[in-house]
Amino acid sequence: MNKIINTITHYLFVVLVLGYIFYEELVWERFAQPIVRYVQSLKLLQKLEVVLQKVNGGVILVAFVLLFVIVELQGVYAGILLLQGKVLLWFLIYAGKIPIAAFTFWLFRVTKPKLMAFAWFEKAYNTVMSWIGWVKATDTYKEIKTKATEIKHYIKKNYMRDGDSIKKKFKRIYTRLKIRLKEGLKR
């Protein structure tokens, strides 16, 4: 019985790690991070940053938690839509979440000392960061990350050509995967 539980736990952990790496590699690095950088460069936010330094920490905490909850609920709702097969709606909801998340990251960055003044918030933050650190330290994460990097380089080398539009790149990948799938079904 312990062997079965360990096997199930292992596979659930692998799924968790795959989801995290997918999020980190595709969603965060390709989409969210450029938006975060753009949001952080806005002059309006630079002025808002000065104003936020004068705002009460409790008000900032409420605003941050509210934004954070909205972003997370959007993510959960988007995930439900994806599981229902509503890919376009999933994409729209998830894409709509990214600017709000970018603003929330910015708000956290500029008001971190005020937020960390709340002991429960600091404890929650440190707990999440230690979980992420633990996951990244596991052999499972390192192995999957290595394989994901190899796959990414393979795709770039074999399917991505300099100067091609994103549409052409995705069309080329889709066409080749479709051919391989048909070949696999014939066997």
Side-chain angles (χ1 to χ4, degrees):
M1 188 64 166
N2 282 343
K3 188 174 182 178
I4 292 171
I5 291 171
N6 288 341
T7 302
I8 291 170
T9 303
H10 173 74
Y11 284 115
L12 287 174
F13 184 68
V14 167
V15 168
L16 173 75
V17 168
L18 283 170
Y20 179 79
I21 290 173
F22 174 79
Y23 171 79
E24 182 181 55
E25 292 280 330
L26 185 65
V27 176
W28 177 250
E29 288 182 12
R30 297 281 179 217
F31 298 108
Q33 217 170 28
I35 292 172
V36 168
R37 281 193 298 271
Y38 173 74
V39 166
Q40 291 175 351
S41 72
L42 295 174
K43 291 194 186 297
L44 175 66
L45 291 184
Q46 292 168 359
K47 292 176 184 176
L48 182 58
E49 184 174 345
V50 173
V51 172
L52 287 172
Q53 299 310 317
K54 299 172 189 168
V55 174
N56 178 289
V59 173
I60 291 172
L61 178 67
V62 169
F64 176 81
V65 170
L66 184 64
L67 287 169
F68 184 80
V69 167
I70 289 169
V71 165
E72 292 307 312
L73 288 176
Q74 271 185 283
V76 169
Y77 181 60
I80 291 168
L81 291 171
L82 183 63
L83 291 174
Q84 292 175 345
K86 299 175 182 176
V87 178
L88 182 60
L89 198 50
W90 161 78
F91 177 78
L92 292 173
I93 297 292
Y94 204 87
K97 148 189 174 141
I98 293 174
I100 300 167
F103 179 78
T104 306
F105 280 119
W106 171 83
L107 181 63
F108 176 77
R109 184 181 61 79
V110 301
T111 62
K112 186 175 178 179
K114 287 186 178 190
L115 292 170
M116 293 299 180
F118 296 92
W120 68 267
F121 186 90
E122 183 178 24
K123 185 174 181 169
Y125 173 79
N126 290 334
T127 300
V128 169
M129 296 312 289
S130 69
W131 286 346
I132 292 171
W134 175 78
V135 168
K136 287 184 171 187
T138 64
D139 290 338
T140 302
Y141 176 87
K142 292 173 186 173
E143 290 170 13
I144 293 173
K145 184 75 172 176
T146 300
K147 285 289 182 195
T149 301
E150 290 172 7
I151 291 168
K152 189 166 77 171
H153 289 298
Y154 175 82
I155 289 171
K156 280 184 180 180
K157 179 182 172 193
N158 294 300
Y159 298 107
M160 306 294 185
R161 296 185 187 130
D162 291 336
D164 277 356
S165 68
I166 291 175
K167 183 179 177 182
K168 279 186 179 180
K169 291 175 183 178
F170 278 114
K171 187 174 181 179
R172 185 178 305 109
I173 291 170
Y174 173 77
T175 303
R176 290 187 181 175
L177 286 174
K178 195 168 139 181
I179 291 168
R180 286 186 183 231
L181 181 62
K182 284 182 181 179
E183 290 172 356
L185 291 175
K186 289 181 183 178
R187 291 180 189 170

